[in-house]
Amino acid sequence: MSPQLPPVLVTRRLAPGVIERLTAHHAVTQHDSDLPMPRAELLAAVRGRSAVVTTLDDTVDGEFLDAAGPGLGLVANHAVGHHNVDLAACAERGVAVSNTPGVLTAATADMAWALLLAATRRLGEGERWLRSGRPWAWAPNFLLGMELAGTRLGVLGMGRIGRAVARRARGFDMPVGYHNRRELPAEQAEGAEWLPLEELLASSEVLVVTCPLSDATRHLLDARRLALLPPGAVVVSMTAGVVDEEALAAALESGALFAAAVDNFEREPEVPSALLAQERAVLAPHLGSATVRTRQAMGGLAVDNVLAVLAGGDPVTPVGV
């Protein structure tokens, strides 16, 4: 490690073409793997760094910050979310935190719709049927799904991604309701109607969950609130921890829900066995932002933040307490 260059740790292999912009200016150590760094290895590797590019699997807490030492100036989270970062602990030590908002909106909204279509039209079941070699034939009652035209969509969390999900509903002629902590100005609401949470649930034949995880939203959709959905509803979860996964599996098992789809899991890479057992659960391994263009943009924004802070400036996309 060159003593003339501020040392930077990157905890995961980045998308093609991203790391070179960083190595051109700083002494960079990259964990060359698609798997998270083991905790002990992470704590050892962060020591003496000026900046760290983290992912949602890296817990940034007091222990992490103490291991890094007083020279750490930035935690650049390679994600929109930042529930893995103790913002108060960072603020106490004068460590800036950044994230990567905006650049993954379209890809994640597209993925929400891909999951929604797969769940409502039972595509996972159909593909598994074919691959199993089981006999089949076209029949009037074979793998009947749900039609979306005219079906009421609920969006829980109308941030950038939620608004993009609502905007795409126009092409399916779906009325849209949403719930946020506060009602949006009409020009930002994409034609959707704000409703109190329980009214939204009671009226949503299809519900897409895009709100960020926080202490207030963890297991917000528990068994009681899932039971408020209309019989035969569909739930698409794009945020880990907001939907109680065991309660979701139980609602599928009982037939209260027609189907569900989940892209982020609370204890990744672990997926609850109760969900794995549900034939009408469409399960994806956290692919919401997984396009080449989007992951390059996320990595590029994380690098922009590192370059800005280590040049003496402020983060490009700061996260505050």
PDB file of all heavy atoms in Angstrom, residues 115-116 118-120 233-237 243 248-249 252 257-262 275 278-283:
ATOM      1  N   LEU A 115     -41.607  -9.643 -11.403  1.00  0.00           N
ATOM      2  CA  LEU A 115     -42.073 -10.542 -10.346  1.00  0.00           C
ATOM      3  C   LEU A 115     -43.589 -10.557 -10.269  1.00  0.00           C
ATOM      4  O   LEU A 115     -44.208 -11.612 -10.046  1.00  0.00           O
ATOM      5  CB  LEU A 115     -41.477 -10.118  -9.006  1.00  0.00           C
ATOM      6  CG  LEU A 115     -39.967 -10.314  -8.851  1.00  0.00           C
ATOM      7  CD1 LEU A 115     -39.489  -9.685  -7.553  1.00  0.00           C
ATOM      8  CD2 LEU A 115     -39.612 -11.793  -8.896  1.00  0.00           C
ATOM      9  N   LEU A 116     -44.183  -9.383 -10.431  1.00  0.00           N
ATOM     10  CA  LEU A 116     -45.646  -9.297 -10.382  1.00  0.00           C
ATOM     11  C   LEU A 116     -46.278 -10.132 -11.490  1.00  0.00           C
ATOM     12  O   LEU A 116     -47.227 -10.898 -11.266  1.00  0.00           O
ATOM     13  CB  LEU A 116     -46.061  -7.832 -10.495  1.00  0.00           C
ATOM     14  CG  LEU A 116     -47.553  -7.523 -10.589  1.00  0.00           C
ATOM     15  CD1 LEU A 116     -48.320  -8.152  -9.441  1.00  0.00           C
ATOM     16  CD2 LEU A 116     -47.764  -6.011 -10.610  1.00  0.00           C
ATOM     17  N   ALA A 118     -44.837 -12.630 -13.129  1.00  0.00           N
ATOM     18  CA  ALA A 118     -44.539 -14.045 -12.889  1.00  0.00           C
ATOM     19  C   ALA A 118     -45.470 -14.635 -11.839  1.00  0.00           C
ATOM     20  O   ALA A 118     -45.926 -15.781 -11.970  1.00  0.00           O
ATOM     21  CB  ALA A 118     -43.086 -14.207 -12.453  1.00  0.00           C
ATOM     22  N   ALA A 119     -45.773 -13.860 -10.797  1.00  0.00           N
ATOM     23  CA  ALA A 119     -46.637 -14.369  -9.732  1.00  0.00           C
ATOM     24  C   ALA A 119     -48.090 -14.483 -10.177  1.00  0.00           C
ATOM     25  O   ALA A 119     -48.752 -15.495  -9.926  1.00  0.00           O
ATOM     26  CB  ALA A 119     -46.525 -13.468  -8.504  1.00  0.00           C
ATOM     27  N   THR A 120     -48.586 -13.443 -10.836  1.00  0.00           N
ATOM     28  CA  THR A 120     -50.001 -13.455 -11.210  1.00  0.00           C
ATOM     29  C   THR A 120     -50.296 -14.447 -12.329  1.00  0.00           C
ATOM     30  O   THR A 120     -51.402 -14.997 -12.405  1.00  0.00           O
ATOM     31  CB  THR A 120     -50.484 -12.054 -11.628  1.00  0.00           C
ATOM     32  OG1 THR A 120     -49.644 -11.544 -12.673  1.00  0.00           O
ATOM     33  CG2 THR A 120     -50.451 -11.107 -10.444  1.00  0.00           C
ATOM     34  N   ALA A 233     -55.380 -11.910  -2.905  1.00  0.00           N
ATOM     35  CA  ALA A 233     -54.468 -10.832  -3.304  1.00  0.00           C
ATOM     36  C   ALA A 233     -53.073 -11.384  -3.596  1.00  0.00           C
ATOM     37  O   ALA A 233     -52.747 -12.540  -3.283  1.00  0.00           O
ATOM     38  CB  ALA A 233     -54.395  -9.768  -2.214  1.00  0.00           C
ATOM     39  N   VAL A 234     -52.239 -10.538  -4.193  1.00  0.00           N
ATOM     40  CA  VAL A 234     -50.849 -10.871  -4.504  1.00  0.00           C
ATOM     41  C   VAL A 234     -49.948  -9.829  -3.856  1.00  0.00           C
ATOM     42  O   VAL A 234     -50.226  -8.628  -3.925  1.00  0.00           O
ATOM     43  CB  VAL A 234     -50.606 -10.899  -6.029  1.00  0.00           C
ATOM     44  CG1 VAL A 234     -49.131 -11.087  -6.347  1.00  0.00           C
ATOM     45  CG2 VAL A 234     -51.442 -12.007  -6.672  1.00  0.00           C
ATOM     46  N   VAL A 235     -48.868 -10.285  -3.225  1.00  0.00           N
ATOM     47  CA  VAL A 235     -47.907  -9.397  -2.578  1.00  0.00           C
ATOM     48  C   VAL A 235     -46.553  -9.545  -3.266  1.00  0.00           C
ATOM     49  O   VAL A 235     -46.070 -10.669  -3.456  1.00  0.00           O
ATOM     50  CB  VAL A 235     -47.761  -9.723  -1.080  1.00  0.00           C
ATOM     51  CG1 VAL A 235     -46.646  -8.885  -0.445  1.00  0.00           C
ATOM     52  CG2 VAL A 235     -49.076  -9.498  -0.341  1.00  0.00           C
ATOM     53  N   VAL A 236     -45.962  -8.418  -3.631  1.00  0.00           N
ATOM     54  CA  VAL A 236     -44.607  -8.389  -4.194  1.00  0.00           C
ATOM     55  C   VAL A 236     -43.742  -7.571  -3.248  1.00  0.00           C
ATOM     56  O   VAL A 236     -44.006  -6.386  -3.023  1.00  0.00           O
ATOM     57  CB  VAL A 236     -44.583  -7.775  -5.603  1.00  0.00           C
ATOM     58  CG1 VAL A 236     -43.143  -7.676  -6.113  1.00  0.00           C
ATOM     59  CG2 VAL A 236     -45.443  -8.595  -6.558  1.00  0.00           C
ATOM     60  N   SER A 237     -42.712  -8.179  -2.685  1.00  0.00           N
ATOM     61  CA  SER A 237     -41.841  -7.508  -1.722  1.00  0.00           C
ATOM     62  C   SER A 237     -40.486  -7.225  -2.336  1.00  0.00           C
ATOM     63  O   SER A 237     -39.752  -8.148  -2.702  1.00  0.00           O
ATOM     64  CB  SER A 237     -41.669  -8.372  -0.462  1.00  0.00           C
ATOM     65  OG  SER A 237     -40.742  -7.767   0.414  1.00  0.00           O
ATOM     66  N   VAL A 243     -41.942  -7.095   5.140  1.00  0.00           N
ATOM     67  CA  VAL A 243     -42.943  -8.157   5.193  1.00  0.00           C
ATOM     68  C   VAL A 243     -42.412  -9.281   6.084  1.00  0.00           C
ATOM     69  O   VAL A 243     -41.289  -9.748   5.898  1.00  0.00           O
ATOM     70  CB  VAL A 243     -43.243  -8.712   3.788  1.00  0.00           C
ATOM     71  CG1 VAL A 243     -44.314  -9.792   3.855  1.00  0.00           C
ATOM     72  CG2 VAL A 243     -43.691  -7.593   2.848  1.00  0.00           C
ATOM     73  N   LEU A 248     -46.029 -14.323   5.665  1.00  0.00           N
ATOM     74  CA  LEU A 248     -46.335 -14.373   4.231  1.00  0.00           C
ATOM     75  C   LEU A 248     -46.504 -15.821   3.784  1.00  0.00           C
ATOM     76  O   LEU A 248     -47.448 -16.157   3.057  1.00  0.00           O
ATOM     77  CB  LEU A 248     -45.213 -13.702   3.442  1.00  0.00           C
ATOM     78  CG  LEU A 248     -45.414 -13.579   1.934  1.00  0.00           C
ATOM     79  CD1 LEU A 248     -46.574 -12.653   1.617  1.00  0.00           C
ATOM     80  CD2 LEU A 248     -44.130 -13.067   1.271  1.00  0.00           C
ATOM     81  N   ALA A 249     -45.607 -16.693   4.217  1.00  0.00           N
ATOM     82  CA  ALA A 249     -45.713 -18.115   3.869  1.00  0.00           C
ATOM     83  C   ALA A 249     -47.003 -18.711   4.415  1.00  0.00           C
ATOM     84  O   ALA A 249     -47.668 -19.504   3.732  1.00  0.00           O
ATOM     85  CB  ALA A 249     -44.501 -18.870   4.408  1.00  0.00           C
ATOM     86  N   LEU A 252     -49.925 -17.749   2.257  1.00  0.00           N
ATOM     87  CA  LEU A 252     -49.950 -18.553   1.031  1.00  0.00           C
ATOM     88  C   LEU A 252     -50.451 -19.957   1.321  1.00  0.00           C
ATOM     89  O   LEU A 252     -51.261 -20.521   0.580  1.00  0.00           O
ATOM     90  CB  LEU A 252     -48.551 -18.605   0.414  1.00  0.00           C
ATOM     91  CG  LEU A 252     -48.032 -17.339  -0.237  1.00  0.00           C
ATOM     92  CD1 LEU A 252     -46.543 -17.459  -0.538  1.00  0.00           C
ATOM     93  CD2 LEU A 252     -48.810 -17.038  -1.523  1.00  0.00           C
ATOM     94  N   LEU A 257     -53.769 -15.676   0.260  1.00  0.00           N
ATOM     95  CA  LEU A 257     -53.147 -14.984  -0.863  1.00  0.00           C
ATOM     96  C   LEU A 257     -53.141 -15.888  -2.090  1.00  0.00           C
ATOM     97  O   LEU A 257     -52.951 -17.105  -1.975  1.00  0.00           O
ATOM     98  CB  LEU A 257     -51.709 -14.591  -0.529  1.00  0.00           C
ATOM     99  CG  LEU A 257     -51.494 -13.579   0.590  1.00  0.00           C
ATOM    100  CD1 LEU A 257     -50.003 -13.353   0.801  1.00  0.00           C
ATOM    101  CD2 LEU A 257     -52.199 -12.263   0.286  1.00  0.00           C
ATOM    102  N   PHE A 258     -53.301 -15.286  -3.250  1.00  0.00           N
ATOM    103  CA  PHE A 258     -53.207 -16.047  -4.494  1.00  0.00           C
ATOM    104  C   PHE A 258     -51.751 -16.406  -4.795  1.00  0.00           C
ATOM    105  O   PHE A 258     -51.445 -17.531  -5.208  1.00  0.00           O
ATOM    106  CB  PHE A 258     -53.786 -15.220  -5.649  1.00  0.00           C
ATOM    107  CG  PHE A 258     -53.700 -15.893  -6.986  1.00  0.00           C
ATOM    108  CD1 PHE A 258     -54.625 -16.859  -7.352  1.00  0.00           C
ATOM    109  CD2 PHE A 258     -52.683 -15.573  -7.877  1.00  0.00           C
ATOM    110  CE1 PHE A 258     -54.537 -17.501  -8.586  1.00  0.00           C
ATOM    111  CE2 PHE A 258     -52.589 -16.201  -9.110  1.00  0.00           C
ATOM    112  CZ  PHE A 258     -53.529 -17.167  -9.465  1.00  0.00           C
ATOM    113  N   ALA A 259     -50.874 -15.438  -4.573  1.00  0.00           N
ATOM    114  CA  ALA A 259     -49.449 -15.650  -4.858  1.00  0.00           C
ATOM    115  C   ALA A 259     -48.648 -14.556  -4.182  1.00  0.00           C
ATOM    116  O   ALA A 259     -49.201 -13.565  -3.680  1.00  0.00           O
ATOM    117  CB  ALA A 259     -49.191 -15.637  -6.374  1.00  0.00           C
ATOM    118  N   ALA A 260     -47.333 -14.729  -4.171  1.00  0.00           N
ATOM    119  CA  ALA A 260     -46.428 -13.716  -3.634  1.00  0.00           C
ATOM    120  C   ALA A 260     -45.105 -13.812  -4.369  1.00  0.00           C
ATOM    121  O   ALA A 260     -44.779 -14.849  -4.958  1.00  0.00           O
ATOM    122  CB  ALA A 260     -46.217 -13.904  -2.131  1.00  0.00           C
ATOM    123  N   ALA A 261     -44.362 -12.721  -4.334  1.00  0.00           N
ATOM    124  CA  ALA A 261     -43.022 -12.700  -4.922  1.00  0.00           C
ATOM    125  C   ALA A 261     -42.117 -11.892  -4.005  1.00  0.00           C
ATOM    126  O   ALA A 261     -42.521 -10.857  -3.476  1.00  0.00           O
ATOM    127  CB  ALA A 261     -43.050 -12.092  -6.323  1.00  0.00           C
ATOM    128  N   VAL A 262     -40.890 -12.382  -3.822  1.00  0.00           N
ATOM    129  CA  VAL A 262     -39.940 -11.738  -2.912  1.00  0.00           C
ATOM    130  C   VAL A 262     -38.583 -11.654  -3.602  1.00  0.00           C
ATOM    131  O   VAL A 262     -38.080 -12.648  -4.126  1.00  0.00           O
ATOM    132  CB  VAL A 262     -39.803 -12.529  -1.588  1.00  0.00           C
ATOM    133  CG1 VAL A 262     -38.850 -11.804  -0.636  1.00  0.00           C
ATOM    134  CG2 VAL A 262     -41.168 -12.739  -0.930  1.00  0.00           C
ATOM    135  N   LEU A 275     -41.240 -20.504   3.020  1.00  0.00           N
ATOM    136  CA  LEU A 275     -41.458 -19.859   1.723  1.00  0.00           C
ATOM    137  C   LEU A 275     -41.023 -20.758   0.581  1.00  0.00           C
ATOM    138  O   LEU A 275     -41.693 -20.835  -0.459  1.00  0.00           O
ATOM    139  CB  LEU A 275     -40.690 -18.535   1.653  1.00  0.00           C
ATOM    140  CG  LEU A 275     -41.403 -17.264   2.104  1.00  0.00           C
ATOM    141  CD1 LEU A 275     -40.483 -16.066   1.937  1.00  0.00           C
ATOM    142  CD2 LEU A 275     -42.700 -17.043   1.313  1.00  0.00           C
ATOM    143  N   GLN A 278     -43.626 -23.090  -0.716  1.00  0.00           N
ATOM    144  CA  GLN A 278     -44.854 -22.592  -1.328  1.00  0.00           C
ATOM    145  C   GLN A 278     -44.737 -22.563  -2.853  1.00  0.00           C
ATOM    146  O   GLN A 278     -43.896 -21.857  -3.400  1.00  0.00           O
ATOM    147  CB  GLN A 278     -45.180 -21.187  -0.800  1.00  0.00           C
ATOM    148  CG  GLN A 278     -45.449 -21.140   0.682  1.00  0.00           C
ATOM    149  CD  GLN A 278     -46.536 -22.111   1.102  1.00  0.00           C
ATOM    150  OE1 GLN A 278     -47.595 -22.194   0.476  1.00  0.00           O
ATOM    151  NE2 GLN A 278     -46.263 -22.855   2.170  1.00  0.00           N
ATOM    152  N   GLU A 279     -45.579 -23.310  -3.506  1.00  0.00           N
ATOM    153  CA  GLU A 279     -45.531 -23.396  -4.968  1.00  0.00           C
ATOM    154  C   GLU A 279     -45.842 -22.048  -5.616  1.00  0.00           C
ATOM    155  O   GLU A 279     -45.349 -21.749  -6.704  1.00  0.00           O
ATOM    156  CB  GLU A 279     -46.526 -24.461  -5.451  1.00  0.00           C
ATOM    157  CG  GLU A 279     -46.422 -24.816  -6.916  1.00  0.00           C
ATOM    158  CD  GLU A 279     -45.107 -25.487  -7.294  1.00  0.00           C
ATOM    159  OE1 GLU A 279     -44.371 -25.919  -6.388  1.00  0.00           O
ATOM    160  OE2 GLU A 279     -44.828 -25.590  -8.498  1.00  0.00           O
ATOM    161  N   ARG A 280     -46.656 -21.238  -4.959  1.00  0.00           N
ATOM    162  CA  ARG A 280     -47.034 -19.952  -5.552  1.00  0.00           C
ATOM    163  C   ARG A 280     -46.202 -18.788  -5.019  1.00  0.00           C
ATOM    164  O   ARG A 280     -46.622 -17.643  -5.091  1.00  0.00           O
ATOM    165  CB  ARG A 280     -48.526 -19.697  -5.343  1.00  0.00           C
ATOM    166  CG  ARG A 280     -49.389 -20.680  -6.114  1.00  0.00           C
ATOM    167  CD  ARG A 280     -50.792 -20.182  -6.291  1.00  0.00           C
ATOM    168  NE  ARG A 280     -51.648 -21.191  -6.904  1.00  0.00           N
ATOM    169  CZ  ARG A 280     -52.916 -21.006  -7.213  1.00  0.00           C
ATOM    170  NH1 ARG A 280     -53.499 -19.848  -6.952  1.00  0.00           N
ATOM    171  NH2 ARG A 280     -53.628 -21.971  -7.751  1.00  0.00           N
ATOM    172  N   ALA A 281     -45.037 -19.088  -4.527  1.00  0.00           N
ATOM    173  CA  ALA A 281     -44.085 -18.044  -4.147  1.00  0.00           C
ATOM    174  C   ALA A 281     -43.016 -17.944  -5.229  1.00  0.00           C
ATOM    175  O   ALA A 281     -42.337 -18.930  -5.527  1.00  0.00           O
ATOM    176  CB  ALA A 281     -43.452 -18.353  -2.807  1.00  0.00           C
ATOM    177  N   VAL A 282     -42.887 -16.778  -5.829  1.00  0.00           N
ATOM    178  CA  VAL A 282     -41.826 -16.511  -6.798  1.00  0.00           C
ATOM    179  C   VAL A 282     -40.679 -15.873  -6.026  1.00  0.00           C
ATOM    180  O   VAL A 282     -40.838 -14.796  -5.441  1.00  0.00           O
ATOM    181  CB  VAL A 282     -42.304 -15.580  -7.921  1.00  0.00           C
ATOM    182  CG1 VAL A 282     -41.177 -15.301  -8.907  1.00  0.00           C
ATOM    183  CG2 VAL A 282     -43.510 -16.184  -8.637  1.00  0.00           C
ATOM    184  N   LEU A 283     -39.527 -16.516  -6.025  1.00  0.00           N
ATOM    185  CA  LEU A 283     -38.408 -16.094  -5.184  1.00  0.00           C
ATOM    186  C   LEU A 283     -37.193 -15.772  -6.047  1.00  0.00           C
ATOM    187  O   LEU A 283     -36.770 -16.596  -6.855  1.00  0.00           O
ATOM    188  CB  LEU A 283     -38.068 -17.197  -4.178  1.00  0.00           C
ATOM    189  CG  LEU A 283     -39.257 -17.725  -3.350  1.00  0.00           C
ATOM    190  CD1 LEU A 283     -38.821 -18.907  -2.486  1.00  0.00           C
ATOM    191  CD2 LEU A 283     -39.864 -16.615  -2.507  1.00  0.00           C
TER     192      LEU A 283
END
